[in-house]
Amino acid sequence: MNTKTHTIRLFPSFSQEKDLRNLMRLRNVIYNNLIFIREKTYQDTKKSMSDFDLINLLPNLKKEKPELSNYNSKAAQSIAKQIGASYRSFFKHLKNGDKKARPPNIVDENKIVSIIFNQSGWSFKENKIVISKIKEPILFKSKEDYSKLSIKEIRIKLIKNKWLCDIVAEYKDTYQENNSNKILAIDLGLKTLATGIDNDGKVVVLHNKAKKIGKYFDNQIAKVSKKLSTKQKDSNSYIQLSNVRKKLYNKKNAQTKQTLHIQSKLLANMNYHTIILGDLSIKELMSKEENKKKGVRKSFQQSSIDIFRQFLSYKCQGKTNVVEIDERHTTQLNCLTNKMFQKKVELKDRTVQLSNSIIIDRDLNSAINILKRWESYHLAALIPPLDLSKVLEERNLFQEPPML
């Protein structure tokens, strides 16, 4: 099965909006109580609690706080699973050496959050949605009949004073069976978002459009911020410029995400059995002394590599395996000789010389090394190996010096 998310706008009445905000508050009360119990249990017993353990706490929690009975049971279970996922992410960052990683913490009860209903707690009737614990159906506008969809979950959220509902629906897979022999290795970078090569020798290149978008809007935001610094705070011109800057930030984020959605979907639809990504830690790269220059840090931020990885993993669910392997030294390793380059390859270097007569793109060299490393780990998979000589012949950038 494959999933697709539809977003509709809700038009709740005053009383319905009040009920929705109360559900958000109850969600935060449950979240805070589960966090508190989990932390206290660890301090007392030095034992961690699983998602299942947190879910088992919910019945007693509802007895202690009767108002929580107004929150859907399945929705409450999803909160416990979110907390478990947040802690797993925290421990993963710690394991990877991220010193700035922080565990989930108590939130303000009135914080605006998403309300997730999983498997039950809603129904659709024409142009209205019935939500558990909300007395009257809420109006929405859409031409599609959502009552006929196989809906997995819905997410109610408030963005820019607009009530929205994400509908996650399941669809039968319409794509062809993926080729069990086709493997794609990808090197993610700054100038080129993704450079990949498969075991047939086909090269895939995704240009870093998100970086160009980020660079353009950053320049526009900087101009507005400069003007803003000359205005008196809370004056009409100050408020107007602040709103302009806010709109620029929103446009930047929206266009960046839209571009990354399109590019990740393009890769997902190429029908590979496995896509291999280098286990690249952006935070770790940005913390290195040689990368602490302002221009390099900004390039990492504008590239949105982590968001692209998340989108790709999500879009490949159920049809393509996305795996990460250690990519240390893949840039500094000569894919032809399997030896380290004598001279260190810097970020500014766009090509690498493999021999006296072979020069290729540095990202392609890295992608080849990632593919070869994966092949060495999966010899039993009997995947046809890459014909390196053919790739180097087609992608060689070396030019013979002119005859005198």
Side-chain angles (χ1 to χ4, degrees):
M1 300 293 286
N2 202 3
T3 60
K4 182 179 179 180
T5 301
H6 307 262
T7 301
I8 58 175
R9 184 176 176 184
L10 305 180
F11 296 90
S13 64
F14 178 79
S15 60
Q16 289 172 335
E17 183 171 353
K18 189 176 178 181
D19 290 340
L20 287 171
R21 288 184 181 274
N22 186 52
L23 286 181
M24 287 185 175
R25 185 185 66 82
L26 294 178
R27 182 266 177 201
N28 291 336
V29 171
I30 296 172
Y31 181 89
N32 290 342
N33 277 273
L34 293 180
I35 290 284
F36 175 78
I37 295 170
R38 193 185 190 283
E39 290 292 331
K40 192 174 186 306
T41 301
Y42 182 78
Q43 290 174 3
D44 295 342
T45 65
K46 299 301 178 185
K47 291 184 179 179
S48 184
M49 298 183 73
S50 67
D51 296 2
F52 187 72
D53 294 331
L54 292 175
I55 290 173
N56 285 338
L57 295 173
L58 293 173
N60 289 333
L61 195 59
K62 288 187 176 182
K63 289 180 181 178
E64 294 174 9
K65 299 180 182 293
E67 67 170 346
L68 298 182
S69 61
N70 292 324
Y71 200 83
N72 181 270
S73 297
K74 285 287 185 181
Q77 290 178 16
S78 71
I79 298 172
K81 293 176 182 178
Q82 287 173 24
I83 292 173
S86 296
Y87 272 103
R88 286 190 290 274
S89 176
F90 164 67
F91 289 124
K92 183 179 178 180
H93 282 295
L94 277 186
K95 187 177 179 181
N96 292 337
D98 184 3
K99 296 180 181 180
K100 295 183 179 180
R102 295 291 181 270
N105 208 347
I106 304 296
V107 299
D108 188 280
E109 283 190 9
N110 295 316
K111 181 182 178 182
I112 301 298
V113 292
S114 296
I115 310 169
I116 300 176
F117 293 90
N118 186 271
Q119 298 179 353
S120 64
W122 74 86
S123 63
F124 286 91
K125 294 182 179 179
E126 296 180 352
N127 62 335
K128 293 183 179 179
I129 178 173
V130 180
I131 299 175
S132 177
K133 311 302 181 182
I134 304 291
K135 294 180 181 179
E136 297 294 329
I138 299 176
L139 179 69
F140 69 88
K141 292 182 179 179
S142 178
K143 295 180 180 179
E144 188 162 353
D145 185 4
Y146 293 105
S147 61
K148 296 180 179 180
L149 297 182
S150 175
I151 300 174
K152 185 178 180 182
E153 72 176 29
I154 67 168
R155 298 186 287 264
I156 309 294
K157 54 191 181 181
L158 179 62
I159 298 178
K160 300 176 190 174
N161 293 321
K162 295 178 182 178
W163 288 96
L164 304 175
C165 177
D166 288 341
I167 303 167
V168 183
E170 287 186 333
Y171 294 87
K172 290 184 179 180
D173 299 329
T174 56
Y175 56 85
Q176 299 175 351
E177 288 292 326
N178 58 24
N179 191 333
S180 60
N181 290 327
K182 290 189 71 175
I183 309 296
L184 178 68
I186 294 177
D187 175 67
L188 300 174
L190 298 179
K191 187 172 182 180
T192 304
L193 178 62
T195 302
I197 186 166
D198 63 21
N199 53 323
D200 289 337
K202 179 184 176 182
V203 175
V204 177
V205 177
L206 295 180
H207 297 291
N208 205 335
K209 296 179 181 179
K211 184 180 176 182
K212 290 182 179 179
I213 292 170
K215 191 174 181 180
Y216 169 78
F217 278 103
D218 284 345
N219 289 335
Q220 300 302 313
I221 291 167
K223 290 178 182 178
V224 175
S225 298
K226 188 176 180 180
K227 291 181 181 179
L228 197 62
S229 64
T230 63
K231 305 298 179 182
Q232 185 177 353
K233 195 172 182 180
D234 296 330
S235 65
N236 289 338
S237 56
Y238 183 91
I239 294 171
Q240 185 179 6
L241 286 171
S242 296
N243 290 332
V244 171
R245 186 170 65 174
K246 187 177 180 180
K247 287 181 180 179
L248 286 172
Y249 273 118
N250 292 335
K251 283 185 178 181
K252 172 189 171 184
N253 294 334
Q255 290 189 25
T256 298
K257 286 186 177 181
Q258 178 66 13
T259 299
L260 295 174
H261 269 300
I262 294 171
Q263 291 184 307
S264 57
K265 187 176 181 179
L266 180 66
L267 269 184
N269 290 341
M270 286 183 178
N271 215 28
Y272 284 101
H273 177 271
T274 302
I275 295 178
I276 310 155
L277 300 176
D279 188 7
L280 179 72
S281 173
I282 301 301
K283 288 185 178 180
E284 185 178 341
L285 283 173
M286 290 177 65
S287 64
K288 289 184 178 181
E289 284 298 325
E290 62 266 29
N291 293 337
K292 283 189 175 180
K293 294 178 182 178
K294 185 178 179 181
V296 175
R297 291 175 68 89
K298 186 175 285 188
S299 292
F300 279 117
Q301 292 167 352
Q302 291 171 342
S303 295
S304 305
I305 293 175
D306 277 341
I307 300 176
F308 174 77
R309 292 155 72 99
Q310 293 170 16
F311 286 173
L312 181 62
S313 297
Y314 174 75
K315 293 181 188 302
C316 287
Q317 284 180 2
K319 58 179 181 180
T320 299
N321 299 320
V322 178
V323 298
E324 295 183 359
I325 66 169
D326 183 9
E327 71 161 355
R328 280 179 292 182
H329 310 305
T330 52
T331 301
Q332 308 298 330
L333 188 68
N334 187 321
C335 68
L336 181 61
T337 63
N338 292 325
K339 295 180 180 179
M340 302 291 281
F341 290 110
Q342 292 183 353
K343 184 180 177 181
K344 185 178 179 181
V345 181
E346 304 288 348
L347 279 173
K348 63 181 180 180
D349 299 327
R350 299 316 311 162
T351 59
V352 290
Q353 186 163 353
L354 306 183
S355 69
N356 292 334
S357 58
I358 301 176
I359 298 175
I360 64 171
D361 182 84
R362 59 166 282 164
D363 294 332
L364 178 58
N365 174 70
S366 183
I368 293 172
N369 285 326
I370 291 172
L371 179 59
K372 290 171 69 176
R373 187 168 293 179
W374 186 90
E375 288 176 343
S376 67
Y377 294 159
H378 298 81
L379 294 175
L382 301 177
I383 301 297
L386 172 69
D387 186 351
L388 184 57
S389 60
K390 181 181 177 182
V391 174
L392 296 182
E393 182 180 353
E394 293 176 352
R395 296 286 167 171
N396 189 6
L397 303 177
F398 178 79
Q399 293 182 350
E400 292 284 350
M403 296 293 291
L404 297 177

